[in-house]
Amino acid sequence: MEDKAVELQFITHFTDTYSYYDSARMALEGGCRWVQLRMKDTPVDEVEREAIRLQRLCKDYGATFIIDDHVELVKKIHADGVHLGKKDMPVAEARKILGKEFIIGGTANTFNDIKMHYEAGADYIGCGPFRFTTTKKNLSPVLGLEGYRSIIQQMRKADIHLPIVAIGGITLEDIPSIMETGVTGIALSGTILRAEDPVAETKRIMNL
């Protein structure tokens, strides 16, 4: 029986080097089985075109495919689920539209955020930021290891059981100590795409 591998969520990112599609393909080739398509400030028809291509790719790899923010699009193309940021549609409203069979994730920075999402019916939480990150504007206060420890402790006390995915400026070196705080997994974008060989970097992370 091998050790439980790191639960890795990959968040697509468009760079000078890679398209959204390429970035997802490399993460999948490296063994990641959860991809979130994040295309902020992009017209929805463009997001849809990209989403349909990525959905096929994820199916080929048996991976979960989540779209950031666009609840109606998730329903339309039957993606696996949606991730909702703090300024996106509330989780409860998304649940009404999508029903039970879709995954809904919510962004949280505090225990109160998590409690609110939990009560609204979220399936997992993207919790961060771990440290300052350039991929997001208007960042919430940085959590660090202590922040995760304290949140996990509060969740245990409140008997809230939800997968918690750490996010925000995480590097390969950070992962072991973050996982020790009790979180379920980590979400990465830049760390993988800035690596010399993103496929090999993903493999390395998956094998930690």
Side-chain angles (χ1 to χ4, degrees), residues 71 75 80-82 84 89-105 117 120-124:
V71 175
K75 189 170 186 178
D80 293 308
V82 69
L84 299 166
M89 182 189 287
V91 169
E93 202 179 316
R95 185 57 80 198
K96 276 191 196 119
I97 294 168
L98 293 175
K100 294 251 188 294
E101 68 267 38
F102 290 86
I103 297 166
I104 299 178
H117 288 325
D123 295 297
Y124 77 91

Side-chain angles (χ1 to χ4, degrees), residues 101-121:
E101 68 267 38
F102 290 86
I103 297 166
I104 299 178
T107 295
N109 177 245
T110 63
F111 170 69
N112 285 341
D113 293 342
I114 292 172
K115 191 166 180 283
M116 182 181 74
H117 288 325
Y118 174 72
E119 285 163 0

